[in-house]
Amino acid sequence: MNPLNRRTARTTAAALAATAVLLPLAACGTAEGNTTGDKKSVVIRIPDPKNSGVLALGKKDGSLDKALARVGARVEWTGSSGPFAPAAQALNADQLDIATGSITSGVTALTQKPGFKLFSAITPDGAGEGILVRKDSGINTVKDLAGRKVAVNEGGTGEYLLLKALARHGVPADKVERVYLRPDQTASVYKTGQVDAWASWAAYSVAELGSGDSRFVADGAAVGSDNYSFHAVRTGFAEQHPKVVKALYDYLRAGSVAQKAAPEKYVNVFTDRGPTAVTGAAKELQLRILREGGTVEQIGTEDIKRFESVARFYLEQKVLRKPVDVKPHILDVEALG
């Protein structure tokens, strides 16, 4: 199969992304119906955090277990963290209770009768997201993308960053071919030159930038990105267990502050070798991004305005087919418990 066929790539990416998250979750049962461990505890299902971040350290040192135990809950790690689109499907299907995403993929998911609410906000990562090009590509400005192929994840961060960059520099969107690929499928396509650029975020860009073979032709700050990160909770879980959601939020917020102050503890949490580890220049870049990054906060009025600006932009760019009212899907986390 030719991965650059837009229709085939789009369909395959969606199917594989959903399968990657939903299959590991299918056997987990509902949070309330789980029969493993302490039957009196509320089970909160969270994607496995892999090798970095606040949840990874909390998993390793047991501090997350202690925080949740104080409100009669325990975590069950299900599947693994990744793009929000398949995680949103899992939330809607009662196969997951917590997920992390970006507001670009969030507003797309909100058009699909969502069964989740957003309960935290992290300011956009201006340094870690952007449009990657190979150093020998001959692409020196955003305008040089005209007539080129750019890999993006459909309706998510990649497509948003590309469209924002093109709009800011006056390049018609139809002058650039968007190649829709799942993020974890894109590296090989990008490295072999089958696409000319890759619009992505820190989870994938750090490795490429750290290799020394790539650079950003424009990063998130340069394109004026409003691409907040957020945590989402399954609506039914929040209604039944508000104190658990509040305890998790408090843990994430405190952890994000500690991570910003001393990021070294939150990188390569379980291993400093293998595909999940970052080393050398990539590690230094990851540490800088964490030091400069935002912290987990309650979603406020100004945050919602910026969420809504993303939704309007996507509507103008015909990524969305109908308007999205974001405010009804925001959870006032400080009012919980």
Side-chain angles (χ1 to χ4, degrees):
M1 182 184 71
N2 181 359
L4 303 185
N5 179 285
R6 287 183 67 177
R7 181 175 298 176
T8 303
R10 182 185 308 174
T11 303
T12 302
L16 290 177
T19 302
V21 170
L22 294 177
L23 282 182
L25 298 172
C28 296
T30 65
E32 291 75 22
N34 190 282
T35 58
T36 60
D38 182 0
K39 295 182 180 180
K40 295 181 181 179
S41 297
V42 173
V43 174
I44 181 168
R45 297 163 297 179
I46 304 175
D48 190 277
K50 300 180 182 177
N51 196 31
S52 64
V54 172
L55 289 177
L57 185 59
K59 178 182 180 181
K60 181 179 180 179
D61 66 14
S63 58
L64 178 60
D65 289 333
K66 292 178 181 178
L68 292 175
R70 287 194 285 269
V71 289
R74 61 184 177 84
V75 66
E76 182 177 283
W77 303 108
T78 59
S80 62
S81 57
F84 184 68
Q89 294 180 32
L91 288 167
N92 292 341
D94 189 15
Q95 296 174 327
L96 192 64
D97 299 311
I98 300 294
T100 304
S102 66
I103 196 58
T104 47
S105 55
V107 296
T108 304
L110 288 176
T111 66
Q112 306 296 322
K113 297 182 180 180
F116 61 87
K117 292 186 181 295
L118 314 185
F119 69 92
S120 80
I122 306 169
T123 52
D125 176 14
E129 62 180 16
I131 302 171
L132 289 163
V133 296
R134 293 179 299 279
K135 287 189 173 180
D136 61 357
S137 66
I139 299 172
N140 298 308
T141 69
V142 170
K143 290 186 176 182
D144 292 336
L145 294 172
R148 309 278 190 149
K149 296 177 179 179
V150 183
V152 301
N153 58 315
E154 186 175 14
T157 294
E159 188 163 28
Y160 172 78
L161 292 171
L162 175 61
L163 291 173
K164 283 287 285 186
L166 298 179
R168 174 161 284 203
H169 291 270
V171 180
D174 61 3
K175 297 298 182 183
V176 177
E177 181 178 347
R178 278 168 267 172
V179 180
Y180 293 114
L181 292 170
R182 202 175 76 189
D184 61 1
Q185 293 178 319
T186 307
S188 61
V189 175
Y190 168 73
K191 289 176 180 177
T192 55
Q194 296 178 71
V195 294
D196 302 294
W198 178 10
S200 192
W201 62 100
Y204 302 95
S205 67
V206 165
E208 302 302 328
L209 294 169
S211 72
D213 297 327
S214 294
R215 57 183 169 78
F216 278 147
V217 70
D219 61 18
V223 305
S225 172
D226 278 326
N227 189 32
Y228 277 72
S229 296
F230 63 78
H231 291 91
V233 59
R234 184 171 59 84
T235 303
F237 187 93
E239 291 173 347
Q240 296 172 31
H241 309 294
K243 291 183 179 180
V244 177
V245 179
K246 180 61 165 57
L248 178 62
Y249 167 79
D250 289 341
Y251 181 87
L252 291 169
R253 185 179 185 284
S256 70
V257 173
Q259 177 179 252
K260 184 178 177 69
E264 293 81 4
K265 293 172 55 179
Y266 297 85
V267 173
N268 296 341
V269 172
F270 290 99
T271 180
D272 58 6
R273 298 180 181 180
T276 64
V278 288
T279 58
K283 181 178 179 180
E284 291 307 310
L285 176 58
Q286 182 66 67
L287 292 172
R288 180 172 69 83
I289 289 171
L290 292 176
R291 290 189 191 99
E292 296 176 1
T295 55
V296 171
E297 303 293 342
Q298 180 184 12
I299 300 173
T301 301
E302 292 303 312
D303 303 321
I304 295 173
K305 288 180 180 178
R306 293 177 70 177
F307 292 178
E308 291 173 340
S309 76
V310 172
R312 286 194 302 272
F313 179 75
Y314 259 7
L315 188 63
E316 293 165 2
Q317 296 290 326
K318 297 181 172 54
V319 176
L320 296 183
R321 296 182 180 179
K322 60 182 180 180
V324 175
D325 186 3
V326 177
K327 193 171 183 179
H329 305 290
I330 303 299
L331 188 65
D332 182 359
V333 72
E334 292 295 346
L336 298 178

